[in-house]
Amino acid sequence: MTTGPEPGVCPNCGLAVGATDNFCENCRTELAPAVVSGDAPTAARECPACHSAQISADGYCESCGRKMPAGRDHIELDLGLLAGVTDKGLRHPRNEDAMGLATAEQAGHPVALAVVCDGVSSSRRPDEASLAAVKVAVRVLLAGVREDADLLETSRAAVAAAQQALAGLDEPGPGDPPSATFVSAVLTHEAATLCWLGDSRAYWLGAGSDAKRLTDDDSLASEMVAAGLVSEADAMALPGAHVVTGWVGADAAGTEPHVATFTPPGPGVLLLCSDGLWNYRPGAAELAALAMPGALTDPLGTAAALVSFALEAGGMDNITAVIAPFPPTAPAPEEKPADEH
């Protein structure tokens, strides 16, 4: 599991820094950089499938026999304000999902940022595509928050940067150019700014009974439903239902992403996920039943539980879930024990 840096001391020069500082005033070291799933691959501490901690020396779960994931196969990121888990699933040879998380401070309030990308399997180098898109996009979003830029325009700029990064991956060869779906969120104490292309989704899961899907898929299934040809359930059962009609990639230059602002009606959580999760529970109320109320106080544990649910349901695809509670609230500083005399 990867966590953010501890506040209080600059990791580079050792001088004291403020809990909400973005940079060290002495050496300009970035104190709260974005974290990306491909940058710090870590082994799972327990079996993602059965939750046993009994792992053999050669990397197998002694309870269910599953080979433990390595590298990008299973990664957990926890920044306090938000957390995410990604897993390659049970049927794919590699994880073509990627996620990037970051935190910032704006006008005295904490801000949570996230990007989730799912590499398009029919394209070349989809695992590299998702990771490259996430890396640049989350950093563009983070810079925009720090500069107090317009968040809708910053979100568009993040997609444009992702498009450019994937164009740099392209090279002659069979198949489509490297490409990925995209969904991002910047969550402030007032609202969530969303941006997406493809079929990775954002959901609002309220602390009460309110839950709703916040994004519309760019997919053949979604187009058929919008045209009134079939119901959503029937569309998802058709061959090619998951063929996307919007993406980031070298062949998507000029494609305009969807952007939206959502104002939560009260406390709750924002969920970003790839289709490896929502394909098993597409309804917002269904996901809320799985995630709430634990997601309000334990985003990492809830993200892990959602991934485990998808694995237990079949794990047919790569799975990513990111949980960000609203309103973003910085954890209270730990009380130091009184000196003994």
Side-chain angles (χ1 to χ4, degrees):
M1 179 179 68
T2 299
T3 61
E6 292 293 329
V9 177
C10 172
N12 183 50
C13 69
L15 294 185
V17 294
T20 59
D21 288 348
N22 293 318
F23 296 90
C24 173
E25 293 187 2
N26 179 59
C27 67
R28 300 307 297 167
T29 294
E30 188 176 12
L31 299 174
V35 294
V36 177
S37 56
D39 287 345
T42 55
R45 295 169 296 162
E46 63 177 33
C47 176
C50 72
H51 308 293
S52 171
Q54 301 300 312
I55 310 301
S56 68
D58 55 353
Y60 285 87
C61 174
E62 295 181 349
S63 176
C64 69
R66 183 183 186 225
K67 174 70 174 177
M68 287 297 93
R72 282 178 64 183
D73 288 354
H74 181 94
I75 297 177
E76 302 178 0
L77 302 177
D78 185 10
L79 297 186
L81 291 184
L82 73 169
V85 177
T86 183
D87 191 280
K88 77 180 183 68
L90 302 178
R91 303 298 179 90
H92 282 244
R94 63 188 177 187
N95 193 353
E96 296 171 359
D97 283 5
M99 61 180 175
L101 312 182
T103 62
E105 186 271 343
Q106 191 179 67
H109 297 281
V111 180
L113 307 87
V115 180
V116 170
C117 290
D118 179 358
V120 177
S121 295
S122 61
S123 69
R124 298 190 300 274
R125 303 161 67 185
D127 54 328
E128 296 178 50
S130 62
L131 185 57
V134 160
K135 280 185 175 181
V136 297
V138 72
R139 287 162 188 159
V140 169
L141 291 175
L142 182 55
V145 170
R146 287 172 172 168
E147 295 165 5
D148 199 23
D150 180 271
L151 293 179
L152 292 173
E153 290 305 313
T154 296
S155 298
R156 293 188 180 97
V159 169
Q163 299 276 32
Q164 186 174 3
L166 269 59
L169 288 179
D170 194 21
E171 57 189 20
D176 296 329
S179 54
T181 67
F182 181 100
V183 63
S184 68
V186 179
L187 186 63
T188 70
H189 70 290
E190 296 178 328
T193 302
L194 306 168
C195 183
W196 72 96
L197 276 168
D199 64 354
S200 291
R201 294 181 177 181
Y203 290 86
W204 167 253
L205 311 179
S209 60
D210 57 315
K212 64 184 297 185
R213 192 171 117 198
L214 302 178
T215 56
D216 296 316
D217 298 343
D218 295 308
S219 68
L220 290 181
S222 182
E223 290 182 0
M224 288 188 289
V225 173
L229 300 176
V230 292
S231 68
E232 183 173 3
D234 289 341
M236 295 310 301
L238 294 173
H242 283 275
V243 173
V244 294
T245 56
W247 59 85
V248 292
D251 58 345
T255 301
E256 287 297 321
H258 309 277
V259 292
T261 300
F262 172 71
T263 302
V269 302
L270 191 66
L271 166 66
L272 301 188
C273 63
S274 62
D275 61 346
L277 172 62
W278 68 252
N279 194 48
Y280 293 109
R281 286 290 187 274
E286 297 173 307
L287 288 168
L290 292 173
M292 301 298 282
L296 293 167
T297 55
D298 184 12
L300 179 62
T302 302
L306 291 173
V307 169
S308 293
F309 158 77
L311 290 170
E312 292 163 3
M316 293 291 292
D317 203 351
N318 308 143
I319 311 151
T320 301
V322 173
I323 295 285
F326 177 85
T329 305
E334 295 183 5
E335 294 185 7
K336 296 182 178 180
D339 292 336
E340 294 182 2
H341 298 284

